[in-house]
Amino acid sequence: MATAKKTPVAAPAKAAAAKPAAVKKAAPAAKAAAKPAAAKKAAAPATPRKPNAAFMKAMTPSKDLAAVVGAAPLPRTEVTKKVWDYIKKHDLQDPANRRMINADDKLKAVFSGKAQVSMFEMTKLISDHLK
């Protein structure tokens, strides 16, 4: 006949307190093990992603926008890059809120006369000047 060991009353409390610590230690290891599996899934497609043809199509800027980016036809992505270069060169971002662009005379014509626009609104206003 097997005999059971008697444990003190305080021992189960210590064992119960030790279990959550063991669980916490195991959780980061499980997350670390999951990351390589996710990386393998992302690396599975062998074909590279193709750029959207609509973004790569060269578009002619309006006269107002040409004063900022030049008159040569450019893809939308390049127009946006050149506008950002102009904004940074002339320090037109609002110092208090960097998401806001303070328009100078050239950009006011592009921004429909607005003195200040958000960077998200800016792309919409620029697209109105591309044909």
Side-chain angles (χ1 to χ4, degrees), residues 84 87 91-103 111 115-122:
W84 271 111
I87 290 168
D91 195 33
L92 297 175
Q93 281 183 287
D94 187 19
N97 184 359
R98 305 283 294 170
R99 289 181 283 179
M100 299 302 287
I101 308 330
N102 298 323
F111 296 160
Q116 189 178 48
V117 297
S118 73
M119 64 173 60
F120 306 109
E121 185 181 7
M122 178 186 75

Side-chain angles (χ1 to χ4, degrees), residues 61-116:
S62 69
K63 185 176 80 170
D64 296 330
L65 185 58
V68 178
V69 299
L74 296 166
R76 288 177 187 270
T77 54
E78 290 299 316
V79 170
T80 304
K81 284 180 187 179
K82 288 192 177 220
V83 170
W84 271 111
D85 290 341
Y86 180 84
I87 290 168
K88 290 178 182 178
K89 180 180 176 184
H90 293 92
D91 195 33
L92 297 175
Q93 281 183 287
D94 187 19
N97 184 359
R98 305 283 294 170
R99 289 181 283 179
M100 299 302 287
I101 308 330
N102 298 323
D104 62 355
D105 292 334
K106 288 182 181 180
L107 284 180
K108 245 185 208 182
V110 176
F111 296 160
S112 303
K114 294 182 180 180
Q116 189 178 48

Side-chain angles (χ1 to χ4, degrees), residues 14-68:
K14 287 182 182 178
K19 285 183 182 179
V23 171
K24 288 181 184 176
K25 288 180 182 178
K31 286 182 182 178
K35 287 182 181 178
K40 288 179 185 177
K41 286 182 182 178
T47 57
R49 218 175 126 195
K50 294 181 182 177
N52 188 344
F55 287 118
M56 301 311 289
K57 179 182 172 188
M59 303 193 74
T60 307
S62 69
K63 185 176 80 170
D64 296 330
L65 185 58
V68 178

